[in-house]
C-alpha cells in the first residue's frame, strides 16, 4: 500500500493507457461532414429504459433524446413544457391538469395521447414496478383523461417537488405497445430514435423522422479508462466528454485551442457509502470513526486536482437549504482510533467494493490508506458496473463502497430502510415526510436542514465532496450543458459551428 500523504496533485493513480478502438468508415465520414458527433461516457448502462433501472447512465443516453416526459428540466433547474404544453394547479397543490401536444407520434408510428400518460404512470406505480421514483406515482390517487389532449392528476397528498419529478427520466411517457422491450429497443417520442447498441462499445442514436435536429446521428462510446478517454479526444475519435474526466486533465485541454473546457456543478454527492447493518458498521461509533479517519481535502486534491466542494451531509452546496456540516467530523486520526477502541473495533477488516469510474477507483486507494492509519484493513475489490449494481446496490453484499449519487432530491432514500445502505431512522423519515408534504417553504427548508443534521449525526455515510461537471469538447461542438441539475445530454441542442 502506498503512502497517501506523499500523493501530490501531479502523482495521480492513472491506469495504463488503453488505445481507442477504431471507428468504421461510415462513422468517420459522418464526423467529417459535421452532421454527426461522438460523445464518450464512462459507464455502459445495463439497459436503455430509465423507468425500470436505477443507473444514471441510462438517462444520459435516452432522456429527452428518445424518451420525453410531460415536463422538461432546463439547465438552470427550472421546469418547462415538453409533451405538455401547459398546466394548471389547484390552490392546495393536489390537482394538476395538463394540456398535451397533439399530432405527436412514437417512433413506431403509434399516436401519443392522454391514454399513454395514464398507462405509463399506472405502470410505474404498479406492484411489479422497479421505478426508482415509484413513490411519486403511488402518491397519485386518480388519473382522468377527459379527452386525448387532457390529463388530470389528483394526488393523495401535496408534493412540493411533483412537477420537478415529472421532468426526471423516471417519468417519461412510454407506449403500451413497446413498454416491455424498451430496455433493449427503446421507443419514445423524442427528436432521436434508437439506432444500434454494440454491447461493450457504443450506442448510436439517429435523428427521428420529421425532427429538426442539427445532427443526423450521435454515438455514445463507453470508455471507462480515463487515459483512454484522453487519448480518444486527442486522436479525434471522440468529439466530446460531457462528464467523466477528472481535474488533472483540465490544464492540458485548456491550453489546447482545439478544445473547450467548462467546469459546472451537479447534484452528485460523492461519498463512502456504508452498509449500516454489517458487523461493526451497525455501531455509530465505528461509522463516526470512519468519518474522522478520512481527509476530504486530501481526496479532492489527490483524486480530482482540487475540483469538487467538500460536503458533510447528503445535500448539494448550491441548494438554498444546504447546511455546511463539513466541520462535524474533522480529520482526526486520534479521535478515530479512540472511537474504534471504545466500540471494540480495533484492527478490523472491511471490504471496499469499487465501481469503474476513475473518481471511485482513485478515491478507494486513498481511503484504504487512510483507514490503515487508524487500524482498519480495507480490502479493495474492483467491480464492473453490472457487478456493482448486482452485488452492492441490489444484494447489499458489501461493507464500504464509493459512489456519487447524482439524482436530484435523492435524499429521500434515507427514508427507505431497504435501500442499499440499510439505514433506518424514524427521526429522519419524519423530516423527509415533512419536507415532501408541506406547502410552506420555511417549514420545508427547516425539515431539509434537520434531515441533513440527523444523517450527519448518525454518520450514515462518509460524505466527501460534490461531484463537479468537467466537460471537454472540440471547439466547434456547441450545446453541451455546463451544469447538470439532472444527468442528461440534450442532443437536440448540439450543433457544429
Amino acid at each position: 500500500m502506498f503512502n497517501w500523504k506523499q500523493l501530490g496533485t501531479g502523482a495521480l493513480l492513472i491506469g495504463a493507457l488503453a488505445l481507442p478502438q477504431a471507428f468504421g468508415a461510415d462513422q468517420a465520414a459522418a464526423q467529417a461532414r459535421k452532421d454527426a458527433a461522438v460523445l464518450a461516457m464512462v459507464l455502459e448502462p445495463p439497459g436503455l429504459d430509465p423507468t425500470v433501472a436505477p443507473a444514471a447512465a441510462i438517462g444520459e443516453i435516452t432522456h429527452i433524446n428518445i424518451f420525453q416526459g410531460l415536463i422538461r428540466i432546463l439547465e438552470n433547474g427550472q421546469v418547462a413544457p415538453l409533451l405538455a404544453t401547459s398546466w394548471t394547479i389547484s390552490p392546495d397543490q393536489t390537482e394538476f391538469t395538463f394540456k398535451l401536444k397533439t399530432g405527436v407520434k412514437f417512433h413506431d408510428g403509434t399516436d401519443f395521447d392522454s391514454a399513454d400518460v395514464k398507462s405509463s404512470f399506472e405502470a410505474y406505480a404498479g406492484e411489479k414496478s422497479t421505478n426508482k421514483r415509484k413513490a411519486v406515482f403511488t402518491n397519485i390517487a386518480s388519473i382522468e383523461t377527459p379527452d386525448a389532449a387532457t390529463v388530470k392528476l389528483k394526488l393523495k397528498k401535496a408534493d412540493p417537488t411533483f412537477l420537478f419529478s415529472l421532468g426526471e427520466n423516471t417519468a417519461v411517457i412510454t407506449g403500451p405497445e413497446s413498454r416491455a422491450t424498451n430496455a433493449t429497443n427503446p421507443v419514445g417520442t423524442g427528436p432521436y430514435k434508437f439506432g444500434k447498441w454494440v454491447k461493450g462499445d457504443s450506442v448510436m442514436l439517429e435523428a427521428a423522422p420529421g425532427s429538426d435536429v442539427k445532427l443526423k446521428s450521435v454515438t455514445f462510446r463507453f470508455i471507462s479508462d480515463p487515459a483512454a478517454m484522453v487519448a480518444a479526444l486527442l486522436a479525434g475519435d471522440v468529439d466530446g466528454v460531457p462528464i467523466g474526466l477528472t481535474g488533472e486533465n483540465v490544464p492540458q485541454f485548456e491550453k489546447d485551442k482545439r478544445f473547450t473546457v467548462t467546469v459546472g456543478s451537479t447534484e452528485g454527492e460523492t461519498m463512502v457509502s456504508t452498509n449500516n447493518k454489517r458487523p461493526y458498521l451497525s455501531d455509530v461509533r465505528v461509522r463516526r470513526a470512519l468519518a474522522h479517519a478520512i481527509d476530504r481535502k486530501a481526496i479532492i486534491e489527490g483524486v480530482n486536482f482540487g475540483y469538487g466542494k467538500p460536503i458533510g451531509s447528503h445535500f448539494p452546496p448550491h441548494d438554498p437549504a444546504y447546511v455546511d456540516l463539513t466541520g462535524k467530523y474533522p480529520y482526526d486520526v486520534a479521535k478515530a482510533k479512540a472511537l474504534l477502541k471504545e466500540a471494540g473495533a480495533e484492527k478490523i477488516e472491511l471490504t471496499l467494493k469499487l465501481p469503474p469510474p476513475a473518481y471511485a477507483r482513485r478515491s478507494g486507494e486513498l481511503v484504504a490508506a487512510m483507514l490503515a492509519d487508524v487500524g482498519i484493513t480495507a480490502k479493495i475489490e474492483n467491480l464492473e458496473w453490472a457487478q456493482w449494481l448486482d452485488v452492492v446496490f441490489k444484494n447489499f453484499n458489501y461493507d464500504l463502497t464509493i459512489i456519487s449519487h447524482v439524482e436530484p432530491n435523492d435524499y429521500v432514500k434515507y427514508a427507505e430502510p431497504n435501500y442499499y445502505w440499510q439505514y433506518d431512522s424514524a427521526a429522519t423519515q419524519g423530516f423527509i415526510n415533512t419536507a415532501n408534504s408541506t406547502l410552506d417553504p420555511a417549514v420545508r427548508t427547516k425539515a431539509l436542514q434537520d434531515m441533513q443534521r440527523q444523517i450527519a449525526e448518525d454518520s450514515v455515510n462518509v460524505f466527501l465532496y460534490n461531484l463537479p461537471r468537467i466537460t471537454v469538447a472540440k471547439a466547434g461542438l456547441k450545446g453541451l450543458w455546463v451544469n447538470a441539475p439532472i444527468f442528461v445530454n440534450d442532443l437536440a441542442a448540439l450543433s457544429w459551428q
Side-chain angles (χ1 to χ4, degrees):
M1 183 161 305
F2 65 94
N3 184 351
W4 66 268
K5 294 176 182 177
Q6 296 177 352
L7 182 63
T9 55
L12 299 170
L13 302 173
I14 300 176
L17 180 65
L19 295 178
Q21 297 178 7
F23 288 128
D26 291 343
Q27 194 173 35
Q31 281 183 273
R33 292 195 304 271
K34 297 301 183 184
D35 61 1
V38 178
L39 303 179
M41 291 174 53
V42 174
L43 299 175
E44 180 173 15
L48 297 176
D49 183 352
T51 70
V52 301
I58 303 172
E60 290 184 65
I61 295 173
T62 65
H63 190 202
I64 298 179
N65 305 318
I66 294 178
F67 296 120
Q68 297 178 312
L70 298 180
I71 304 292
R72 70 173 294 157
I73 297 169
L74 304 176
E75 187 182 353
N76 62 7
Q78 300 299 306
V79 298
L82 192 51
L83 287 176
T85 59
S86 63
W87 54 85
T88 57
I89 307 173
S90 65
D92 65 356
Q93 294 189 38
T94 61
E95 296 183 20
F96 294 73
T97 301
F98 295 91
K99 289 297 181 181
L100 308 181
K101 285 183 178 179
T102 58
V104 175
K105 290 184 178 293
F106 287 94
H107 300 147
D108 61 2
T110 56
D111 293 326
F112 157 78
D113 60 24
S114 59
D116 296 305
V117 179
K118 179 178 172 67
S119 69
S120 293
F121 290 176
E122 287 177 342
Y124 305 157
E127 182 179 349
K128 296 182 179 179
S129 170
T130 56
N131 191 301
K132 63 184 174 184
R133 295 286 202 222
K134 184 176 180 178
V136 172
F137 305 101
T138 57
N139 187 41
I140 299 175
S142 64
I143 305 174
E144 298 179 16
T145 55
D147 57 61
T150 306
V151 175
K152 293 184 177 180
L153 306 178
K154 183 173 179 58
L155 305 185
K156 297 174 184 176
K157 62 179 182 179
D159 177 357
T161 66
F162 185 65
L163 274 181
F164 190 96
S165 295
L166 293 188
E168 294 187 73
N169 59 35
T170 45
V172 295
I173 308 304
T174 56
E177 300 85 357
S178 56
R179 192 168 296 139
T181 56
N182 275 335
T184 54
N185 184 32
V187 175
T189 58
Y192 282 87
K193 65 184 184 71
F194 176 62
K196 63 180 178 180
W197 185 357
V198 180
K199 292 293 182 68
D201 179 72
S202 61
V203 168
M204 189 265 285
L205 307 186
E206 301 171 338
S211 66
D212 59 356
V213 294
K214 302 294 193 300
L215 303 182
K216 291 183 179 180
S217 70
V218 178
T219 298
F220 292 91
R221 283 195 62 205
F222 310 124
I223 307 175
S224 60
D225 182 79
M229 194 174 280
V230 169
L233 274 167
L234 294 173
D237 294 329
V238 165
D239 299 311
V241 180
I243 188 167
L245 292 174
T246 48
E248 80 274 14
N249 304 123
V250 171
Q252 175 184 4
F253 286 106
E254 283 182 332
K255 295 174 183 176
D256 193 327
K257 294 182 179 179
R258 296 174 297 168
F259 300 95
T260 57
V261 179
T262 60
V263 180
S265 64
T266 74
E267 293 290 313
E269 293 85 16
T270 307
M271 66 185 86
V272 179
S273 290
T274 305
N275 189 337
N276 282 229
K277 288 191 175 179
R278 296 286 266 204
Y280 295 114
L281 297 174
S282 61
D283 189 324
V284 69
R285 294 170 296 183
V286 175
R287 300 197 301 272
R288 289 170 179 165
L290 296 177
H292 280 299
I294 295 173
D295 187 341
R296 292 188 197 92
K297 291 183 179 179
I299 289 178
I300 293 170
E301 288 293 332
V303 172
N304 223 26
F305 219 68
Y307 290 94
K309 186 171 183 178
I311 55 173
S313 190
H314 193 117
F315 221 72
H318 53 261
D319 193 288
Y322 174 75
V323 178
D324 186 355
L325 296 169
T326 53
K328 186 171 181 62
Y329 298 108
Y331 173 58
D332 189 332
V333 170
K335 179 67 174 177
K337 287 182 176 179
L339 284 166
L340 291 171
K341 183 177 182 180
E342 181 182 331
E346 297 173 282
K347 305 297 182 182
I348 62 175
E349 182 175 307
L350 302 173
T351 62
L352 177 55
K353 298 187 178 182
L354 302 173
Y359 72 81
R361 298 280 173 91
R362 297 177 185 180
S363 296
E365 294 286 349
L366 286 172
V367 166
M370 292 173 184
L371 294 182
D373 285 348
V374 300
I376 296 175
T377 299
K379 182 181 177 182
I380 291 178
E381 296 180 30
N382 290 329
L383 305 179
E384 294 307 311
W385 185 231
Q387 288 179 295
W388 188 92
L389 288 171
D390 180 63
V391 173
V392 176
F393 188 81
K394 181 181 178 181
N395 291 304
F396 315 153
N397 184 16
Y398 79 106
D399 293 322
L400 307 173
T401 187
I402 297 176
I403 195 72
S404 190
H405 283 258
V406 299
E407 300 293 342
N409 302 318
D410 54 5
Y411 59 81
V412 296
K413 297 303 181 182
Y414 290 88
E416 300 178 17
N418 291 324
Y419 197 59
Y420 81 103
W421 50 61
Q422 301 194 88
Y423 167 66
D424 191 355
S425 164
T428 299
Q429 292 162 20
F431 295 139
I432 291 173
N433 181 63
T434 298
N436 286 351
S437 59
T438 182
L439 300 181
D440 185 328
V443 173
R444 174 174 166 77
T445 294
K446 182 179 184 303
L448 289 173
Q449 293 180 338
D450 287 341
M451 179 274 299
Q452 293 172 65
R453 295 186 181 97
Q454 186 66 55
I455 62 176
E457 177 67 19
D458 293 340
S459 199
V460 183
N461 297 306
V462 182
F463 305 103
L464 300 177
Y465 63 90
N466 185 247
L467 184 71
R469 182 179 174 94
I470 298 173
T471 300
V472 178
K474 289 181 180 177
L477 185 63
K478 306 299 181 183
L480 291 171
W481 284 13
V482 175
N483 300 303
I486 57 174
F487 265 45
V488 67
N489 293 298
D490 184 1
L491 302 184
L494 293 188
S495 65
W496 287 102
Q497 293 181 7

